[in-house]
Amino acid sequence: MQTTSQLHPTYYFSSRRSSIRSNSSMKLGGWNSSQLGFTGRGQSLRFLTPIHKTRLFVISDADDGHAYAPVLEEDSNTNHVPSSEPETFFSKWSPPKYLWRGLSVLVLAGQVIIQTLKGKVHWRNTLQQLERVGPKSVGVCLLTSAFVGMAFTIQFVREFTRLGLNQSVGGVLALAFSRELSPVVTSIVVAGRIGSAFAAELGTMQVSEQTDTLRVLGSNPVDYLVTPRVIASSLALPFLTLMCFTVGMASSALLADSVYGISINIILDSAQRALRSWDIISAMIKSQVFGMIISIVSCAWGVTTMGGAKGVGESTTSAVVISLVGIFMADFALSYCFFQGAGDSLKNCV
């Protein structure tokens, strides 16, 4: 038996075009590839495997007279492209969906204001959207306002009659409708009817790449799609609110006269003495702010839609919910700013 006489460390890189010259026949141990071959002395070994670094220790004197080369060490780094940039926390972090959508609302609002001040408004599209938000929404808004007015009349008249304050019913209804009910109810109806339509339309255009087509044609999607909808909503909501206030008061007076025996003249006279011009103006300001919230939120959720038809449905639902939350928050903020301190509107109605 012969003993091992030498240890020759050998390094090689195997690839589809790399080769190792051998001066004697060799046996390779620890190799698992079937794409490896050699022909003998003076021939080249060709390895048809991916780039792989291995360290061999060749033992020249083995028992059978052939050199034996076991694979002792492998380089575990299979990715041979060095990373030039160190990994940081923010390299793998992506902002939550609600965060960048909320920021998109602010960015879109700023773009709409800038484009409007510059006069870059597509007026034909604005008139089409104005017809859609205004006249085509009158019916459902007036119907909703009428039934809400009658429901509040039932509650107020029952309690005020027991206290002997029949002459104050009209004033209370007028203040409730002008300050809160008319702008809020109208905005809720418009958010469900128009806001969902805005989000669905722009979401479908986004997932079908129609907005990219507008950019290719040289048109700004904000000027053509978003700004007309915001202007139309801001202009139509105050007039819808005023009509809803009128219909709500009329339905309340008719119900009080026909069911509870309180004359229409008493209701209207009490409302006239309680109302101030600022009450009507504040209602129109509120409705205009609510219209901007509905249109901007719906358009922002639409242009940030992803995920095909499922994403369009989710954006539509989310746009309506966020619009309603924004309406209630804005209503509280505006009411706190407009009506501070002790009020004296009802002192003339008692």
Side-chain angles (χ1 to χ4, degrees), residues 120-136 194 198 201-202 205 210-211 214 219-233 235-236 299:
K120 295 181 179 181
V121 180
H122 197 277
W123 293 110
R124 182 178 179 182
N125 197 6
T126 303
L127 292 177
Q128 293 176 355
Q129 298 299 329
L130 187 61
E131 179 186 4
R132 181 184 183 184
V133 177
K136 293 185 177 181
I194 302 299
F198 286 171
E201 288 176 356
L202 297 185
M205 295 181 69
Q210 297 182 37
T211 54
L214 288 176
S219 299
N220 189 349
V222 176
D223 298 342
Y224 188 78
L225 299 176
V226 180
T227 304
R229 287 170 167 80
V230 175
I231 294 177
S233 301
L235 294 179
C299 292

Side-chain angles (χ1 to χ4, degrees), residues 267-318:
I267 298 292
L268 297 181
D269 182 68
S270 175
Q272 184 180 4
R273 285 185 282 131
L275 281 178
R276 302 288 186 272
S277 59
W278 173 245
D279 297 327
I280 304 298
I281 294 173
S282 64
M284 300 186 72
I285 293 175
K286 279 186 176 184
S287 59
Q288 191 170 25
V289 173
F290 297 162
M292 294 181 64
I293 292 174
I294 293 169
S295 56
I296 291 177
V297 170
S298 301
C299 292
W301 255 245
V303 298
T304 56
T305 301
M306 296 182 297
K310 182 180 178 181
V312 173
E314 292 177 351
S315 296
T316 303
T317 305
S318 180

